[in-house]
């Protein structure tokens, strides 16, 4: 039974950079390797963690994007993260885009802020959903599917779920932008910024990024 059981990986990190480093190492060493039958980079291989839970204690520590060894192309930059924010927080959609996260999140962000301001901190209803029952018919459904916000111990926290999550091409940009959004919301509510807990049943590395990831974590 043990060999066929889904494995839950729990990682605890100080900041976003450490979270990325720990996830890269874990995916390389423990990821389930398979050929992709359907989805992005069909026919290529992935190394994927069955279920990852990543607790980031101080996600607001700068820099929000990871530093990489000399000669390794960075997975993202703050310039890119800032250009990505409208995709996350507004309903603006570029030509050819099937969706943006912002088209779902934009109306929910002010409602979450209003909910806490008007009703107090002690609620578990302040959840923002991404996607709908129609998402199953998209060629590439939304990866980010929900953000549960909580105020605990005087701080504003995010619990984030990603259906599928590319460790190299998505994780660093997604988390940096989510952290900026969380800081904005915390300030509007009038509480301190808090932790981020991220869950994914599809945290992965594509084979085209395996060698780069090995250079970052110094695995031969």
């Amino acid at each position: 039974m043990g060999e066929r059981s889904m494995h839950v990986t729990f990682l605890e990190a100080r900041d976003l950079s450490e979270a990325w480093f720990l996830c890269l190492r874990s995916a390389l060493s423990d990821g389930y390797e398979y050929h992709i039958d359907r989805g992005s980079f069909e026919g290529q291989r992935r190394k994927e963690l069955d279920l990852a839970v990543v607790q980031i204690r101080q996600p607001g520590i700068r820099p929000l994007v990871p530093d990489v060894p000399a000669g390794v192309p960075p997975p993202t930059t703050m310039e890119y993260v800032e250009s990505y924010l409208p995709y996350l927080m507004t309903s603006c959609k570029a030509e050819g885009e099937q969706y943006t996260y912002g088209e779902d999140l934009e109306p929910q962000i002010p409602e979450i802020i209003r909910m806490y301001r008007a009703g107090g901190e002690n609620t578990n209803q302040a959840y923002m959903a991404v996607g709908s029952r129609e998402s199953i018919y998209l060629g590439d459904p939304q990866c980010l599917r929900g953000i549960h916000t909580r105020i605990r111990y005087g701080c504003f926290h995010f619990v984030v779920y990603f259906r599928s999550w590319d460790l190299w091409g998505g994780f660093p940009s997604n988390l940096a932008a989510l952290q900026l959004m969380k800081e904005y919301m915390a300030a509007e509510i009038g509480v301190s910024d808090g932790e981020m807990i991220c869950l994914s049943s599809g945290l992965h590395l594509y084979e085209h990024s395996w060698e780069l990831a090995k250079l970052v974590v110094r695995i031969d």
Side-chain angles (χ1 to χ4, degrees), residues 158-180:
F158 270 6
V159 180
V160 182
Y161 176 70
F162 277 86
R163 169 192 64 80
S164 178
W165 209 1
D166 179 0
L167 257 173
W168 194 272
F171 187 102
S173 300
N174 297 148
L175 284 190
L178 283 166
Q179 175 58 25
L180 291 175

Side-chain angles (χ1 to χ4, degrees), residues 117-187:
R117 282 177 166 177
E121 300 178 356
N122 295 320
T123 179
N124 61 11
Q125 296 183 348
Y127 178 86
M128 297 185 286
V130 176
S132 70
R133 65 184 182 183
E134 302 301 321
S135 298
I136 192 68
Y137 301 109
L138 293 174
D140 288 297
Q142 295 92 333
C143 295
L144 172 65
R145 301 313 294 260
I147 304 171
H148 196 182
T149 74
R150 304 303 301 266
I151 296 178
R152 285 284 168 85
Y153 317 111
C155 296
F156 183 64
H157 311 282
F158 270 6
V159 180
V160 182
Y161 176 70
F162 277 86
R163 169 192 64 80
S164 178
W165 209 1
D166 179 0
L167 257 173
W168 194 272
F171 187 102
S173 300
N174 297 148
L175 284 190
L178 283 166
Q179 175 58 25
L180 291 175
M181 184 172 86
K182 181 160 66 70
E183 290 173 0
Y184 162 75
M185 294 178 71

Side-chain angles (χ1 to χ4, degrees), residues 187-209:
E188 289 294 303
I189 295 165
V191 293
S192 298
D193 179 57
E195 299 182 19
M196 200 181 298
I197 299 175
C198 305
L199 300 88
S200 179
S201 49
L203 185 63
H204 62 265
L205 277 170
Y206 293 107
E207 63 178 313
H208 61 250
S209 58

Side-chain angles (χ1 to χ4, degrees), residues 4-219:
R4 297 189 178 185
S5 297
M6 294 278 283
H7 180 67
V8 179
T9 301
F10 178 77
L11 300 169
E12 184 176 346
R14 184 189 74 144
D15 55 22
L16 300 185
S17 293
E18 185 179 38
W20 184 62
F21 178 90
L22 293 175
C23 287
L24 287 179
R25 180 175 288 277
S26 187
L28 286 170
S29 60
D30 303 323
Y32 175 77
E33 184 178 328
Y34 67 99
H35 280 88
I36 302 164
D37 292 330
R38 176 186 171 119
S40 300
F41 299 101
E42 186 176 312
Q44 206 180 112
R45 290 179 296 166
R46 282 190 188 122
K47 288 180 182 286
E48 185 171 83
L49 297 174
D50 292 341
L51 177 64
V53 181
V54 187
Q55 184 170 17
I56 307 167
R57 296 290 191 181
Q58 301 178 65
I61 290 177
R62 268 48 175 181
L64 297 179
V65 296
D67 191 17
V68 295
V72 177
T76 191
T77 64
M78 279 309 299
E79 288 77 15
Y80 176 78
V81 170
E82 287 164 4
S83 71
Y84 174 77
L85 267 178
Y87 177 88
L88 183 67
M89 296 183 65
T90 75
S91 55
C92 296
K93 187 186 295 186
E95 185 176 350
E97 286 184 327
Q98 296 185 68
Y99 63 83
T100 71
Y101 296 143
E103 66 186 349
D104 289 320
L105 293 175
E106 182 182 38
Q108 297 180 81
I109 291 170
E111 178 58 19
I112 293 288
I113 293 168
R114 186 206 64 79
M115 188 183 299
Y116 282 122
R117 282 177 166 177
E121 300 178 356
N122 295 320
T123 179
N124 61 11
Q125 296 183 348
Y127 178 86
M128 297 185 286
V130 176
S132 70
R133 65 184 182 183
E134 302 301 321
S135 298
I136 192 68
Y137 301 109
L138 293 174
D140 288 297
Q142 295 92 333
C143 295
L144 172 65
R145 301 313 294 260
I147 304 171
H148 196 182
T149 74
R150 304 303 301 266
I151 296 178
R152 285 284 168 85
Y153 317 111
C155 296
F156 183 64
H157 311 282
F158 270 6
V159 180
V160 182
Y161 176 70
F162 277 86
R163 169 192 64 80
S164 178
W165 209 1
D166 179 0
L167 257 173
W168 194 272
F171 187 102
S173 300
N174 297 148
L175 284 190
L178 283 166
Q179 175 58 25
L180 291 175
M181 184 172 86
K182 181 160 66 70
E183 290 173 0
Y184 162 75
M185 294 178 71
E188 289 294 303
I189 295 165
V191 293
S192 298
D193 179 57
E195 299 182 19
M196 200 181 298
I197 299 175
C198 305
L199 300 88
S200 179
S201 49
L203 185 63
H204 62 265
L205 277 170
Y206 293 107
E207 63 178 313
H208 61 250
S209 58
W210 290 354
E211 294 307 314
L212 290 173
K214 288 177 183 178
L215 290 173
V216 171
V217 301
R218 295 179 171 83
I219 291 180

